[in-house]
Amino acid sequence: MRLEMLVMAGALAGAVGGCKAEGPKARGGASPALEQLMKARNLTEANVKAALATYTPSGRHDEYYLFGSGGQSGQVVVIGLPSMRILKYIAVFTPEPWQGYGYGDTGSKKVLEGGRKRDKDITWADTHHPALSETNGDYDGQYLFINDKANARIAVVDLKDFSTRQIVSSNIIESNHGSTFVTPNTEYVIEGSQYPAPLGGEYADVKQFKEKYRGAVILWKFDRAQGRIDRAKSFAIELPPYMQDLADAGKKVSDGYLFLNSIDTELAYGGDMEGNVPLESGASKNDMDYLHVINWRKAEQVANAGKTRVIAGLRVITLQTAIDEKLLTFIPESKSPHGVDVTPDGTEMVVAGKLDTHATVYSFSKIKALIDAGKYETKDPYGVPVLSFKDSIRGQADLGLGPLHSQFDNKGNVYTSLFLESAIVKWSLKDLKVIEKVPCHYNVGHLAAAEGDTVDPDGKYLVAMNKWALDRFAPVGPLEPQNFQLIDISGDRMQVLYDLPIPLGEPHYAQIVKADKIHPIDIYPPDTDASTGAKSEFPVDDGKERIERKPDGVHIYMSAVRSHFTPDIIRVTEGDHVHLHIRSLEQAQDATHGFALDSYNISLSLEPGEHDDVDFIADRAGVFPMYCTEFCSALHLEMAGYFLVEPKGPKTAER
Amino acid sequence: MRLEMLVMAGALAGAVGGCKAEGPKARGGASPALEQLMKARNLTEANVKAALATYTPSGRHDEYYLFGSGGQSGQVVVIGLPSMRILKYIAVFTPEPWQGYGYGDTGSKKVLEGGRKRDKDITWADTHHPALSETNGDYDGQYLFINDKANARIAVVDLKDFSTRQIVSSNIIESNHGSTFVTPNTEYVIEGSQYPAPLGGEYADVKQFKEKYRGAVILWKFDRAQGRIDRAKSFAIELPPYMQDLADAGKKVSDGYLFLNSIDTELAYGGDMEGNVPLESGASKNDMDYLHVINWRKAEQVANAGKTRVIAGLRVITLQTAIDEKLLTFIPESKSPHGVDVTPDGTEMVVAGKLDTHATVYSFSKIKALIDAGKYETKDPYGVPVLSFKDSIRGQADLGLGPLHSQFDNKGNVYTSLFLESAIVKWSLKDLKVIEKVPCHYNVGHLAAAEGDTVDPDGKYLVAMNKWALDRFAPVGPLEPQNFQLIDISGDRMQVLYDLPIPLGEPHYAQIVKADKIHPIDIYPPDTDASTGAKSEFPVDDGKERIERKPDGVHIYMSAVRSHFTPDIIRVTEGDHVHLHIRSLEQAQDATHGFALDSYNISLSLEPGEHDDVDFIADRAGVFPMYCTEFCSALHLEMAGYFLVEPKGPKTAER
């Protein structure tokens, strides 16, 4: 400790040009406090460096936003870098009452209803891969897309107000994993299936796996002006049931193509109690699986030419059409691959296979030349042409145990997570040589680099998403947090700066964007329905609050402003259909009100300018307090009223 | 900046005894990197101090846990101090799929059903006040209680596994605020109502506010051996409809009493469109409200003597009985009070009223003497005896604008939040004089001090729970986070160390406990139902996994272990009643599996040793992948299977 103190002190003394400058006063200054602090907290020089590299003083904003999937929470987590403060959980697939999402207002109810499957509500998700919208292959900060692996759905989050605007379910596939990824101008949002099933939800015995079960990749057309996916202009491509895994879109020279891994060319499907081998061994027999190369621009033409079959309302290019139209090509890849990552310049694809020690670098120009020349080595059992592995690659880098996912910097380096080694390896894309390894915490999964999935990575920070926390933090077991490690990659050597426990859900993948690209609004224009971003259909004018009985029920036009709801007493009769139209009259930043109604499971968040509609049957008689749930002023507790539901029959006996 | 650098460098040089010790090598050491870091990140000396005081290196555990309410999220947030890392969101009132809470398993479903009101599910809460269980007035680290203000419910969280074990709803009150607070040995958990209503849920017009509307305080009997609230041994005390606010239990000399504020002795209830004054002005007319002093030990005797009336299944001591039995006494208090906080030695109660600049210090011995002597000054309109204000207090401290809530240290000081001043004032309890004020961020609400609500506060850290973040962090608007500020109170002057955005919900109150008091388990004993902590009723033996058809449906006895579910294929027929019994065979720390079933809204978390039961109707025919949602091993993606639901009628046409 004493030694570290000396080094540290020397370092700082050196930093300002030596000791001569210090007078007795400076030397006697704050030193005892600092010395005590370092001693008391037992900090090393490396700790001090890391502390200074991440500490972000009050009021100073972070340089980057990280948007991470919230894993099984069904939400998105937003983290500031380098402070590693969690800034927000955005409610996406799972109802969340603080944000008033799915707790009474008709707007968010509609968004959630978009995610119904087989006409049933699905109120959670297993989110894996967030994708920021791109313009010319660069994050543009406008939208975020996120998948639900468990139920094969995707959602659109508007970064103007960090709100979920749309959830779509194709109803043709049952799970996804290669999603979401976007094409370089967000023309399409890519959703690749994972566990095969008959397309469109029909039943077939799993013994007909090869014949009836299929994978698919869906290209969801994104209408940027509307900020919504346009189902009618979207289409899918049927694929063999190879358990497709992660995907990436080509960029620059490879724009127009997409790349998709697969993990089960063996066509294993388990059945341990039916005499089959378990999936995990059945799917690991072959030395090679298939990298799928898809020409999506050509597929778009084929779809728009009507060469599709409509399944569950979605246009599908059948596997045979995809083969006939030369949209789909396979290339062998090391077994059990996970990430396929296109290099920033778009010329190469890096594939890392968990059960192989190498990363393979595929050359887009070689692949393109082989496809154009029709030089196929063989065909798969479904008739899909297969290119030669060795003719498609530039080479392989021997990285270590369990390479999983790669990210890029601005200096030609690749960073690959080594799942089995619990390390991150930095290697040179040019000569395929390892430069450095840094140990990270147990079970590293994906990596996210600053602007790492774009044509122009920043090369500043890398975040390792480690799966287990074990005893890394004060225990909250048996269910422990995950552990995000922040790593400085700007210098010659990687430096682990910070360990962040993730308090909710297991983020699988994340993207990191420069903070100056994100411009959320502070307040809504007056009377905005936050679920659509448009003016409400039931406007409430200040001073014209009222209760109206109409043929369809009781309409209450209500306002909220510090510290009052108008009207503050609502009288209805048991069984009445109630339509609440509530507008926040606030136009000051952060002057949020909440609205809670006892016993009716209603919780709204009324941000400045926001308008919410609530539609319900007053099916319980009684006296129900309603009040503001966001501490808004000194008289916040008095921002309350009563919702009185008079019994329909004879009044209950007085006690 | 240059000056700060000099001071800093001088400070550290001074810390190790001057410059002579530094050789050229030391001076040339790490200094450029550090200098660059401080310059690049523009850090002041105070920043550096704060960074070192909070930075907690990888693997080092925090000294304290903060348990905060999750506000409208319905959850509890757990934060480590001093790192200010959020360690976990505990699912309490709101279903949460990562934790597998309320997403299919019958255990958590039962817990949530305990919170039904009027036979309807309530799937959110407005949590305000967490209370740690106490032994002899000190946190014992065993349980955490938390309220739902919106629907008048409370929950029990077992800190053995950070899981919610029970939710109870009294069904006699409609909202609460003075909850939860515990008596010094956790004999009772206190729930005080807020917005008055007829007790028991009956209807009465709000014009009968004075006659028919009532407040109440419920004393929930806690059975520590069972870890559950015992409804049959619990009771309530009827109170006038004064909108009771926060509460605290007496301790040491004042053990046996509880103290409860009120904010509406005017009996205002709003009615702006019915010719009444708004509540916020109607409830602020009187100069004084009433501090309620309740002798709960005597109340317990009265209740157990059967002098109660049963309302909605709960024993209630009527207001008249409370008066007759001398259980209830009022003392005037400055209007619009919020916190009532009993001093660590139990001799005094500090009441801070938002609309008065003073904190009032009430003397328990004076109050006790007045009550014992029957020296009442007057009675309230309901006949409750009222003591003299001046004879009940020791004095008042003039603190500033909007004093709200007080916490204590181990040196006789009080820390009070000043809501309107956005400051924290430290003052001497002994001489009622202000010692120091430190500005904090906008709209400070409650404060939490390390072990601050116990008989033995630590005096080390204080956390200010500020309501608005405004532009303090990178924007995520319009709904911004709240802002927790960590303050070091161990020295002569308070030092603000850290600003933490709260990414989900608005925590109102928190308690901070020494980390060495919390001992969660790492793994469950084999086959444990985590919702009860007991062995499952449907045990699954390793090697005896099976599918059984029984009169009540199909029972699947299933195991999960890296990386396989056994059985991995389940075949049922449309309409079958399905009973899944899943046991994790893992016994390694953090080896968690998840279980997701496509389209059936099922998400389980299977922690090591955990057993979950799921009970549902297979009402949708088709092929449904099921898989592990927690990244568990290199072959995690292959930990999957199929749930096959054959259609009941003729099979769907093949396409």
Side-chain angles (χ1 to χ4, degrees):
Chain A
M1 180 59 205
R2 198 68 192 167
L3 182 64
E4 289 156 8
M5 287 292 301
L6 284 166
V7 173
M8 174 65 197
L12 280 170
V16 290
C19 288
K20 293 264 156 65
E22 316 305 328
K25 201 176 170 191
R27 284 172 55 185
S31 64
L34 276 172
E35 183 183 18
Q36 276 168 26
L37 214 49
M38 289 183 67
K39 263 192 192 159
R41 305 209 65 246
N42 192 23
L43 297 175
T44 67
E45 186 191 2
N47 296 156
V48 172
K49 278 188 191 174
L52 302 192
T54 55
Y55 188 83
T56 303
S58 275
R60 189 180 300 176
H61 292 191
D62 276 305
E63 289 169 63
Y64 293 91
Y65 290 85
L66 176 148
F67 290 91
S69 79
Q72 315 87 334
S73 78
Q75 317 294 38
V76 162
V77 60
V78 186
I79 299 172
L81 266 59
S83 78
M84 297 303 271
R85 289 163 172 149
I86 306 178
L87 298 169
K88 195 171 205 166
Y89 271 92
I90 306 174
V92 183
F93 292 102
T94 305
E96 201 295 297
W98 168 56
Q99 290 158 85
Y101 184 76
Y103 280 89
D105 80 294
T106 53
S108 64
K109 214 166 128 186
K110 265 185 213 160
V111 171
L112 286 161
E113 280 173 359
R116 287 165 72 97
K117 272 193 82 174
R118 291 173 161 93
D119 298 324
K120 298 269 182 178
D121 290 333
I122 309 288
T123 55
W124 78 289
D126 183 17
T127 61
H128 273 235
H129 310 107
L132 288 155
S133 60
E134 295 182 9
T135 298
N136 298 324
D138 221 346
Y139 304 145
D140 56 38
Q142 292 185 7
Y143 295 95
L144 182 81
F145 308 95
I146 180 85
N147 75 322
D148 169 17
K149 173 173 168 171
N151 304 285
R153 302 177 301 164
I154 65 171
V156 181
V157 176
D158 194 333
L159 295 179
K160 200 170 65 217
D161 59 355
F162 282 55
S163 290
T164 302
R165 286 281 147 72
Q166 188 182 22
I167 300 176
V168 293
S169 169
S170 71
N171 290 320
I172 69 160
I173 59 175
E174 303 301 333
S175 74
N176 68 33
H177 202 197
S179 67
T180 55
F181 299 88
V182 299
T183 55
N185 282 294
T186 323
E187 298 94 338
Y188 290 97
V189 183
I190 299 164
E191 178 184 9
S193 61
Q194 179 133 75
Y195 303 117
L199 296 189
E202 75 180 42
Y203 175 80
D205 194 291
V206 71
K207 288 173 184 160
Q208 295 177 291
F209 191 82
K210 188 179 171 187
E211 300 77 27
K212 297 271 183 80
Y213 283 44
R214 289 292 178 267
V217 62
I218 304 170
L219 284 98
W220 291 105
K221 181 73 189 166
F222 185 61
D223 182 336
R224 195 187 285 260
Q226 298 295 320
R228 300 290 188 284
I229 281 167
D230 184 341
R231 194 182 187 85
K233 292 187 179 160
S234 305
F235 64 95
I237 303 167
E238 183 186 21
L239 299 172
Y242 290 160
M243 294 195 184
Q244 284 74 25
D245 202 53
L246 295 188
D248 201 1
K251 51 185 88 156
K252 293 190 170 176
V253 292
S254 56
D255 186 9
Y257 285 79
L258 71 88
F259 309 93
L260 190 58
N261 282 331
S262 62
I263 57 173
D264 182 28
T265 48
E266 297 87 349
L267 299 178
Y269 55 82
D272 53 4
M273 292 177 73
E274 303 185 355
N276 296 339
V277 292
L279 179 60
E280 64 273 25
S281 45
S284 306
K285 276 185 192 161
N286 295 350
D287 280 340
M288 293 296 219
D289 287 306
Y290 289 135
L291 174 64
H292 298 30
V293 180
I294 294 170
N295 184 337
W296 67 259
R297 275 204 209 281
K298 201 165 173 183
E300 182 183 48
Q301 290 165 11
V302 168
N304 291 342
K307 297 178 190 173
T308 53
R309 177 176 167 174
V310 175
I311 302 176
L314 195 71
R315 298 180 299 162
V316 179
I317 298 173
T318 64
L319 181 54
Q320 194 53 55
T321 302
I323 294 167
D324 294 345
E325 298 281 347
K326 301 188 193 327
L327 306 178
L328 176 65
T329 311
F330 289 162
I331 316 174
E333 60 183 352
S334 296
K335 72 174 168 183
S336 219
H338 199 51
V340 48
D341 299 287
V342 178
T343 57
D345 65 5
T347 61
E348 299 184 313
M349 287 78 64
V350 178
V351 173
K354 299 191 298 283
L355 300 184
D356 180 21
T357 60
H358 298 86
T360 305
V361 179
Y362 290 80
S363 159
F364 179 72
S365 60
K366 290 186 180 186
I367 293 169
K368 183 76 169 31
L370 292 170
I371 292 174
D372 289 348
K375 279 199 179 168
Y376 306 124
E377 196 174 58
T378 183
K379 286 184 175 180
D380 88 326
Y382 294 90
V384 180
V386 181
L387 304 186
S388 150
F389 174 69
K390 73 170 174 33
D391 293 346
S392 301
I393 71 169
R394 174 163 66 86
Q396 290 189 303
D398 195 359
L399 301 179
L401 300 176
L404 195 140
H405 179 227
S406 299
Q407 287 277 277
F408 304 95
D409 70 7
N410 55 349
K411 301 180 198 83
N413 300 310
V414 191
Y415 301 81
T416 302
S417 51
L418 298 176
F419 172 76
L420 296 175
E421 242 177 81
S422 290
I424 293 154
V425 57
K426 173 181 174 180
W427 52 285
S428 159
L429 187 58
K430 194 175 164 197
D431 60 16
L432 308 181
K433 290 272 192 300
V434 168
I435 298 167
E436 186 196 4
K437 273 187 195 180
V438 65
C440 64
H441 193 215
Y442 197 46
N443 278 8
V444 59
H446 282 278
L447 300 176
E451 302 261 327
D453 285 326
T454 72
V455 294
D456 186 21
D458 272 12
K460 192 153 182 182
Y461 295 113
L462 184 74
V463 170
M465 284 165 265
N466 310 311
K467 298 301 183 175
W468 290 20
L470 283 167
D471 55 1
R472 203 72 159 193
F473 307 109
V476 293
L479 184 59
E480 301 285 357
Q482 274 59 235
N483 180 3
F484 273 20
Q485 285 183 301
L486 177 69
I487 299 160
D488 182 346
I489 56 167
S490 64
D492 288 341
R493 301 190 70 80
M494 292 185 271
Q495 299 289 341
V496 178
L497 299 178
Y498 197 90
D499 279 36
L500 176 76
I502 300 294
L504 185 64
E506 177 199 352
H508 291 263
Y509 195 90
Q511 287 192 331
I512 300 171
V513 57
K514 281 197 191 89
D516 62 13
K517 290 184 178 177
I518 305 288
H519 304 285
I521 57 174
D522 293 335
I523 58 170
Y524 285 108
D527 232 2
T528 299
D529 180 338
S531 67
T532 61
K535 177 128 180 149
S536 164
E537 290 173 51
F538 299 95
V540 178
D541 293 327
D542 187 9
K544 294 190 181 164
E545 297 87 348
R546 65 201 182 276
I547 302 176
E548 282 183 6
R549 290 210 155 256
K550 293 184 182 177
D552 68 345
V554 186
H555 287 255
I556 299 105
Y557 294 85
M558 188 184 235
S559 69
V561 73
R562 277 165 287 177
S563 297
H564 199 74
F565 290 111
T566 306
D568 57 4
I569 293 178
I570 300 170
R571 294 163 186 277
V572 301
T573 305
E574 192 180 350
D576 271 346
H577 193 153
V578 178
H579 307 263
L580 286 178
H581 311 294
I582 313 184
R583 171 186 167 188
S584 167
L585 300 176
E586 305 285 355
Q587 285 283 288
Q589 186 187 354
D590 215 353
T592 299
H593 296 288
F595 177 86
L597 178 55
D598 162 43
S599 295
Y600 275 90
N601 214 34
I602 291 170
S603 172
L604 310 178
S605 175
L606 294 159
E607 289 130 45
E610 183 168 340
H611 176 116
D612 275 350
D613 299 299
V614 191
D615 201 316
F616 65 102
I617 306 296
D619 56 1
R620 276 152 279 181
V623 171
F624 304 95
M626 54 191 195
Y627 67 95
C628 173
T629 54
E630 281 269 344
F631 200 102
C632 57
S633 72
L635 291 165
H636 158 71
L637 287 178
E638 289 83 356
M639 188 166 175
Y642 284 102
F643 182 72
L644 301 170
V645 184
E646 195 170 353
K648 216 171 188 172
K651 291 190 188 183
T652 52
E654 300 195 0
R655 66 193 178 86
Chain B
M1 178 58 204
R2 199 68 193 166
L3 183 63
E4 288 156 7
M5 287 291 300
L6 285 167
V7 173
M8 175 67 195
L12 280 170
V16 290
C19 289
K20 291 266 156 65
E22 316 304 330
K25 201 175 171 191
R27 284 173 55 185
S31 63
L34 278 171
E35 183 183 19
Q36 276 168 27
L37 214 48
M38 289 184 66
K39 262 192 191 160
R41 305 209 66 246
N42 193 23
L43 297 174
T44 65
E45 187 190 1
N47 296 154
V48 172
K49 279 189 192 174
L52 301 193
T54 57
Y55 188 83
T56 304
S58 274
R60 189 180 300 175
H61 292 191
D62 276 304
E63 291 170 61
Y64 293 91
Y65 290 86
L66 176 147
F67 290 91
S69 78
Q72 314 87 334
S73 77
Q75 317 295 38
V76 161
V77 61
V78 186
I79 299 171
L81 265 59
S83 77
M84 296 303 270
R85 289 164 172 148
I86 306 178
L87 299 169
K88 195 171 205 167
Y89 271 91
I90 306 173
V92 183
F93 292 102
T94 305
E96 202 293 298
W98 168 58
Q99 290 158 86
Y101 184 76
Y103 280 87
D105 80 293
T106 52
S108 64
K109 214 166 127 185
K110 265 184 215 160
V111 171
L112 285 161
E113 281 172 0
R116 286 166 72 97
K117 272 192 82 173
R118 291 174 161 92
D119 297 323
K120 300 270 182 178
D121 290 332
I122 308 287
T123 56
W124 79 288
D126 184 17
T127 60
H128 273 235
H129 309 107
L132 289 154
S133 59
E134 295 182 9
T135 299
N136 297 326
D138 221 345
Y139 304 145
D140 55 39
Q142 294 185 5
Y143 295 94
L144 182 80
F145 308 95
I146 179 85
N147 75 323
D148 169 17
K149 173 172 168 172
N151 304 284
R153 303 178 300 164
I154 66 171
V156 181
V157 176
D158 193 334
L159 296 178
K160 200 171 66 219
D161 59 356
F162 281 56
S163 289
T164 302
R165 287 280 148 72
Q166 188 183 23
I167 300 176
V168 292
S169 170
S170 71
N171 290 320
I172 69 160
I173 59 174
E174 303 300 332
S175 76
N176 68 34
H177 201 197
S179 67
T180 55
F181 299 88
V182 298
T183 55
N185 282 294
T186 323
E187 298 94 337
Y188 290 97
V189 183
I190 299 163
E191 179 185 8
S193 62
Q194 179 133 75
Y195 303 117
L199 296 188
E202 74 179 43
Y203 176 80
D205 194 292
V206 70
K207 287 174 184 161
Q208 295 175 291
F209 191 84
K210 188 179 173 188
E211 300 79 27
K212 297 269 183 82
Y213 284 44
R214 290 291 178 268
V217 62
I218 304 171
L219 284 98
W220 291 105
K221 181 72 189 167
F222 186 61
D223 181 336
R224 195 187 285 259
Q226 297 294 322
R228 300 290 188 284
I229 282 166
D230 185 340
R231 194 182 185 86
K233 291 187 179 160
S234 305
F235 65 94
I237 303 167
E238 181 186 23
L239 298 172
Y242 291 159
M243 295 194 185
Q244 283 75 24
D245 203 52
L246 296 187
D248 201 0
K251 50 185 87 155
K252 293 189 169 175
V253 291
S254 56
D255 185 9
Y257 284 78
L258 73 86
F259 309 92
L260 190 57
N261 281 330
S262 62
I263 58 174
D264 182 29
T265 47
E266 298 86 351
L267 300 177
Y269 56 81
D272 54 5
M273 292 177 71
E274 302 184 355
N276 294 340
V277 291
L279 180 60
E280 66 272 25
S281 46
S284 305
K285 275 185 195 163
N286 294 350
D287 281 340
M288 293 296 218
D289 287 307
Y290 289 135
L291 173 64
H292 298 30
V293 180
I294 295 170
N295 184 338
W296 67 258
R297 276 205 207 280
K298 201 165 175 186
E300 184 183 47
Q301 291 165 9
V302 167
N304 291 342
K307 298 179 191 172
T308 54
R309 176 174 169 176
V310 175
I311 302 177
L314 195 73
R315 298 180 298 163
V316 179
I317 298 174
T318 64
L319 181 53
Q320 194 54 56
T321 302
I323 294 166
D324 294 345
E325 298 282 346
K326 300 188 196 321
L327 307 178
L328 177 64
T329 311
F330 289 161
I331 316 174
E333 59 184 350
S334 296
K335 71 174 168 183
S336 219
H338 199 50
V340 47
D341 299 286
V342 177
T343 56
D345 65 5
T347 61
E348 298 185 314
M349 287 78 65
V350 177
V351 173
K354 298 190 298 283
L355 301 183
D356 179 22
T357 59
H358 298 86
T360 305
V361 179
Y362 291 79
S363 160
F364 179 72
S365 60
K366 288 187 179 185
I367 293 169
K368 183 77 169 32
L370 290 170
I371 292 174
D372 288 347
K375 277 199 178 169
Y376 306 125
E377 195 174 62
T378 181
K379 286 182 176 183
D380 88 326
Y382 293 90
V384 180
V386 180
L387 304 186
S388 150
F389 174 69
K390 73 170 175 36
D391 293 346
S392 302
I393 71 170
R394 174 164 65 87
Q396 289 189 303
D398 196 359
L399 301 179
L401 300 176
L404 195 141
H405 180 226
S406 299
Q407 288 277 277
F408 305 95
D409 69 9
N410 54 350
K411 301 180 198 84
N413 300 310
V414 191
Y415 302 81
T416 302
S417 51
L418 298 176
F419 172 76
L420 297 175
E421 244 177 80
S422 289
I424 294 154
V425 57
K426 173 181 174 180
W427 52 284
S428 160
L429 187 58
K430 192 175 165 197
D431 60 17
L432 308 181
K433 289 274 192 298
V434 169
I435 297 167
E436 187 197 2
K437 273 186 195 180
V438 64
C440 64
H441 193 216
Y442 197 45
N443 277 7
V444 58
H446 282 278
L447 301 176
E451 302 261 328
D453 285 327
T454 72
V455 293
D456 186 22
D458 272 11
K460 192 154 180 180
Y461 296 114
L462 185 75
V463 171
M465 283 165 266
N466 310 310
K467 298 300 182 176
W468 291 20
L470 283 167
D471 54 1
R472 202 72 158 193
F473 307 110
V476 293
L479 184 60
E480 302 284 359
Q482 274 59 236
N483 181 3
F484 273 20
Q485 286 183 303
L486 177 69
I487 300 159
D488 182 347
I489 56 167
S490 64
D492 287 341
R493 302 191 69 79
M494 293 185 272
Q495 299 289 341
V496 178
L497 298 178
Y498 197 88
D499 279 37
L500 176 76
I502 300 295
L504 186 64
E506 178 200 351
H508 291 263
Y509 195 92
Q511 288 192 330
I512 300 171
V513 57
K514 279 198 194 89
D516 62 12
K517 289 184 178 178
I518 306 288
H519 304 286
I521 57 174
D522 292 334
I523 59 170
Y524 286 107
D527 232 3
T528 300
D529 180 339
S531 67
T532 61
K535 177 128 178 148
S536 163
E537 290 172 49
F538 300 95
V540 178
D541 292 328
D542 187 8
K544 294 190 180 164
E545 297 86 349
R546 65 200 182 277
I547 302 177
E548 283 182 5
R549 290 210 156 256
K550 293 184 182 176
D552 67 346
V554 186
H555 286 256
I556 298 105
Y557 295 84
M558 188 185 235
S559 69
V561 73
R562 279 165 287 178
S563 297
H564 199 72
F565 291 110
T566 305
D568 57 5
I569 293 179
I570 300 169
R571 295 163 186 277
V572 301
T573 305
E574 191 180 348
D576 271 347
H577 193 153
V578 178
H579 308 264
L580 286 178
H581 311 294
I582 314 183
R583 170 186 166 187
S584 167
L585 299 176
E586 304 285 355
Q587 286 283 287
Q589 186 186 355
D590 214 352
T592 300
H593 296 288
F595 176 87
L597 178 54
D598 162 43
S599 296
Y600 276 91
N601 214 34
I602 291 170
S603 173
L604 310 178
S605 176
L606 293 159
E607 290 131 46
E610 182 168 341
H611 176 114
D612 275 350
D613 299 299
V614 190
D615 202 316
F616 65 103
I617 305 296
D619 56 1
R620 275 151 280 182
V623 172
F624 304 95
M626 54 191 195
Y627 68 94
C628 172
T629 53
E630 282 269 343
F631 201 103
C632 56
S633 72
L635 291 165
H636 157 71
L637 288 178
E638 290 84 357
M639 188 166 175
Y642 285 103
F643 182 73
L644 301 169
V645 184
E646 195 170 353
K648 216 171 188 173
K651 289 190 189 183
T652 51
E654 301 194 1
R655 67 194 176 86

